[in-house]
Amino acid sequence: MTQLSMKDTLKLADGNQLPQEGFGVYKLTDQDVMDQVINTAIEAGYRLFDTAQLYENEDLLGNSLQASELTRDQYFITTKVAENNQGYDKTITSVQKSLDLLKTDYVDLLLVHWPIHTEFFETWRAFEDLKAQGLAKSIGVSNFHQTHLQYLATKAHEMPVVNQIELHPYFSQPTMRAFDVSQNIVTQAWSPLGRGLELNDDIINGIATKLGKSSAQVILRWEIQNGIAVIPKSANPKRVVENASIYDFELSDEEMAAINSLNKNQRTGHDPELVYEQAHQ
Ligand code: A2P
């Protein structure tokens, strides 16, 4: 495969490469805005683009990427199967639709968006078949707890290579991360900036001021140095570039420890356990 960057690539358990930093397109629902930020992101070096059936923008992302200067093997697409599309047949049909919307023959990474107790194993069986057919190069999950992964392992023929979870300094998920590591699963952070909540944190601001960086850059750098993959999102081209400019400085052990200690187990999004039981986001 052509070298993907931004900036390090993490090796997945299936042998494929995952760019450690990618670009999230949640809430981008206007083609002009999508075109502008995707072009800016590509210029800034992003090569991974993360969408979902639920975002209702796969077609917009597909249009922007197709019109870009990159060839298909130079970028990485993630999409996620929505709760309503889970189950064997619906997963297969919905992924075929996603591929049409994205204007591609395959996605690099296909994720189960949220665990739900109905269709739990059937959805994963479809994922394994989609991978075998080459329609998804890698398969993984999102918002899975340790128990969901352990339950999946009782029937799976192959395990997820990525678990994309909410993760930011106030919700840094040390236990879940350690479990992912023990299973050779890469943890990828959604809302790596905590939806902006931590940008005014005194400790983070102090480190940012000392280093001449923004709080957002310090948070993303902290995640990268912790070995976590990140998909920051922004509709603002200046911030798209800012979030990519995190490779010219390093946080010290003390600075890393100070941010590690900010965890308050404070979510901004849904609790996966409730989604699991209620089967909707
Ligand atoms: P905007 O689109 O106006 O830039 P998360 O990825 O943690 O969910 O956070 C996304 C939010 O953080 C978005 O609302 C985005 O707003 C904002 N954001 C992204 N990058 C930055 C940045 N570098 N500085 C400040 N806010 C940012």
Side-chain angles (χ1 to χ4, degrees), residues 168-171 192-210 213-219 222 254-266:
H168 40 87
Y170 290 172
F171 191 60
L193 300 172
R195 298 192 178 164
L197 273 186
E198 282 103 319
L199 296 176
N200 295 318
D201 180 89
D202 287 344
I203 303 268
I204 293 170
N205 273 335
I207 295 170
T209 305
K210 193 176 116 203
K213 294 286 167 187
S214 71
S215 293
Q217 289 172 318
V218 167
I219 293 173
W222 164 78
E254 292 73 28
E255 288 160 347
M256 289 294 290
I259 305 176
N260 286 339
S261 73
L262 295 177
N263 184 32
K264 306 179 193 180
N265 297 318
Q266 186 178 309

Side-chain angles (χ1 to χ4, degrees), residues 81-88 90-91 112 114-125 144 148 151-152 272-280:
V81 171
E83 292 80 274
N84 284 342
N85 293 332
Q86 290 202 34
Y88 187 89
K90 280 161 96 183
T91 295
V112 179
W114 292 85
I116 56 174
H117 66 279
T118 51
E119 316 283 4
F120 186 80
F121 294 110
E122 285 301 283
T123 300
W124 191 249
R125 192 165 66 82
F144 271 42
H148 301 128
Y151 188 38
L152 189 62
E273 201 51 48
L274 294 181
V275 178
Y276 178 78
E277 287 171 6
Q278 296 167 0
H280 59 80

Side-chain angles (χ1 to χ4, degrees), residues 191-196 199 216 232-236 239 242-243:
S191 274
L193 300 172
R195 298 192 178 164
L199 296 176
K233 58 181 177 289
S234 177
N236 176 323
R239 292 188 189 138
E242 179 184 323
N243 296 344

Side-chain angles (χ1 to χ4, degrees), residues 12-84:
L12 301 174
D14 60 12
N16 291 332
Q17 304 284 336
L18 179 85
Q20 192 172 6
E21 182 172 6
F23 187 72
V25 300
Y26 181 44
K27 292 205 170 148
L28 294 181
T29 52
D30 176 272
Q31 187 70 63
D32 289 340
V33 175
M34 183 72 87
D35 286 345
Q36 192 191 16
V37 293
I38 293 300
N39 280 330
T40 306
I42 289 171
E43 222 164 281
Y46 296 86
R47 291 294 179 268
L48 183 157
F49 301 93
D50 180 286
T51 183
Q53 293 170 349
L54 274 172
Y55 302 170
E56 297 185 339
N57 62 11
E58 289 172 309
D59 56 335
L60 305 187
L61 177 63
N63 292 337
S64 298
L65 288 172
Q66 204 176 41
S68 79
E69 66 198 31
L70 297 180
T71 55
R72 180 63 188 90
D73 61 343
Q74 292 176 312
Y75 58 83
F76 185 112
I77 304 181
T78 302
T79 197
K80 314 181 193 85
V81 171
E83 292 80 274
N84 284 342

